[in-house]
């Protein structure tokens, strides 16, 4: 047996562990949606719409318990809304996603 080449399972696990969590992916997609109108002020409605799109994009095919847990984690990680632009809030979401892992 050649041990210089890692088994496929090791490669698969490494790739999986390097990926952001589902909650972090929701925050990243939400940030992308808000960046479409980066210079506009961020509002609760705009953030909720972007979050809904992100959740549907990332979580729709996952089991309900996984989707619910991922959304709970994303909500807890979200920074508070301030009187800032959507672009600035997107930067904050990306930082929260990095912290969430």
């Amino acid at each position: 047996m050649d041990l210089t080449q890692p088994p496929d399972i090791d490669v698969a696990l490494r790739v999986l562990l390097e990926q952001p969590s589902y909650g972090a992916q929701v925050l990243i997609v939400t940030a992308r949606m808000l960046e479409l109108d980066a210079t506009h002020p961020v509002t609760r409605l705009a953030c909720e719409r972007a979050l809904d799109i992100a959740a549907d994009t990332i979580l729709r095919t996952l089991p309900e318990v996984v989707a619910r847990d991922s959304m709970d984690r994303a909500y807890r990680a979200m920074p508070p809304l301030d009187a800032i632009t959507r672009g600035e809030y997107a930067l904050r979401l990306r930082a929260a996603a990095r912290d969430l892992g």
Side-chain angles (χ1 to χ4, degrees), residues 3 8 15-19 22 31 33 44-45 49-50 53-54 58-59 63 78 83-86 90 93 101:
L3 296 179
D8 289 340
V15 169
L16 180 64
L17 292 173
E18 291 172 356
Q19 297 298 314
Y22 291 124
M33 297 303 302
R44 184 161 309 284
L45 181 59
R49 285 183 179 164
I53 291 167
I58 300 300
L59 306 175
M78 289 181 74
I84 57 175
T85 66
R86 292 179 186 193
L93 285 174

Side-chain angles (χ1 to χ4, degrees), residues 26-73:
V26 167
L27 295 179
I28 292 165
V29 173
T30 301
R32 287 182 185 158
M33 297 303 302
L34 291 172
E35 287 171 335
L36 295 175
D37 292 317
T39 59
H40 290 92
V42 67
T43 63
R44 184 161 309 284
L45 181 59
C47 194
E48 287 174 5
R49 285 183 179 164
L51 191 60
D52 286 346
I53 291 167
D56 185 55
T57 301
I58 300 300
L59 306 175
R60 74 172 167 250
T61 61
L62 298 175
E64 178 63 28
V65 67
V66 175
R68 192 174 333 112
D69 180 65
S70 299
M71 282 305 294
D72 288 346
R73 290 171 187 264

